[in-house]
Amino acid sequence: MIDETFEKMLSEKMEKSNHGQMTADEYRYIANFLGDKNFLVFGTGHDTPMWRYANRNGHTLFLENNKRWIDPNDSDVITVTYTTKRAYHKILLEEWHQGNFNNLKMDLPNSVTNIKWDCIFVDAPLGTTDKKPGRMQSIFTAWSFATDVTEVFVHDVDREVEDVYSKTMFSNTIKDLTKLRHVRK
């Protein structure tokens, strides 16, 4: 939900830290779908307060693996563990094609798995090198939670894993905007 407060938060965020991050138009694009939704976000960061605000009349949960970004006082942030390495993304995708999801499944609490998510945003974990987890599990999890009306947003689709996984697992690309892809099943 975009209003003056959101625009002020966005402006402050863009000034504070935007090194390789999302564009203002990408933030606004996602925020237009929020307000009163069940919103699942893979990753936390400088934009976390903005997402909370944009979906203030809904239910937002964040999944984060990096202790640096986890505040123990935040009841809406769930600590997760990724078990993959980006180097194996082709093997994992081949397993997915064969119906073997074992290596892509995440261990998540019922507070995540028992909710019908209206919007899902994949912006974590790190996927910049083959030694990092890559976003294979988060994109798979978004796919497994999504229905044909769930709005799924994947950031950093200029990278191979995000591009290939979002195009392969989701049959309907709604929009590409800079490095953000909006998809549905």
Side-chain angles (χ1 to χ4, degrees), residues 4-125:
E4 286 182 32
T5 301
F6 177 85
E7 286 294 336
K8 183 178 181 211
M9 293 174 83
L10 177 58
S11 178
E12 289 170 0
K13 192 270 173 230
M14 298 303 283
E15 286 177 25
K16 186 179 196 180
S17 169
N18 197 37
H19 308 288
Q21 301 296 314
M22 292 174 52
T23 67
D25 286 343
E26 290 171 323
Y27 280 114
R28 287 186 193 103
Y29 184 80
I30 295 173
N32 275 318
F33 290 88
L34 304 177
D36 60 353
K37 306 294 187 212
N38 287 332
F39 182 38
L40 180 64
V41 182
F42 287 85
T44 59
H46 296 295
D47 53 7
T48 299
M50 197 168 49
W51 293 132
R52 288 179 179 131
Y53 180 79
N55 198 48
R56 63 193 169 279
N57 297 318
H59 175 65
T60 305
L61 277 181
F62 299 87
L63 304 180
E64 181 57 63
N65 69 309
N66 186 334
K67 290 178 175 51
R68 175 179 164 229
W69 291 106
I70 299 172
D71 181 338
N73 298 316
D74 289 339
S75 60
D76 60 353
V77 178
I78 296 170
T79 303
V80 296
T81 301
Y82 294 97
T83 58
T84 58
K85 296 290 183 215
R86 190 186 79 173
Y88 301 106
H89 71 276
K90 291 178 183 174
I91 294 167
L92 293 166
L93 192 58
E94 184 57 36
E95 289 176 357
W96 179 83
H97 279 295
Q98 296 169 2
N100 177 359
F101 306 150
N102 293 334
N103 292 319
L104 288 170
K105 287 182 180 175
M106 294 181 69
D107 184 21
L108 297 170
N110 290 341
S111 60
V112 177
T113 60
N114 289 344
I115 294 177
K116 181 182 176 281
W117 297 104
D118 301 305
C119 299
I120 302 172
F121 177 38
V122 176
D123 199 22

Side-chain angles (χ1 to χ4, degrees), residues 121-140:
F121 177 38
V122 176
D123 199 22
L126 286 176
T128 52
T129 71
D130 282 347
K131 293 180 181 180
K132 301 293 182 186
R135 295 188 181 162
M136 297 82 67
Q137 285 182 290
S138 51
I139 294 171
F140 167 79

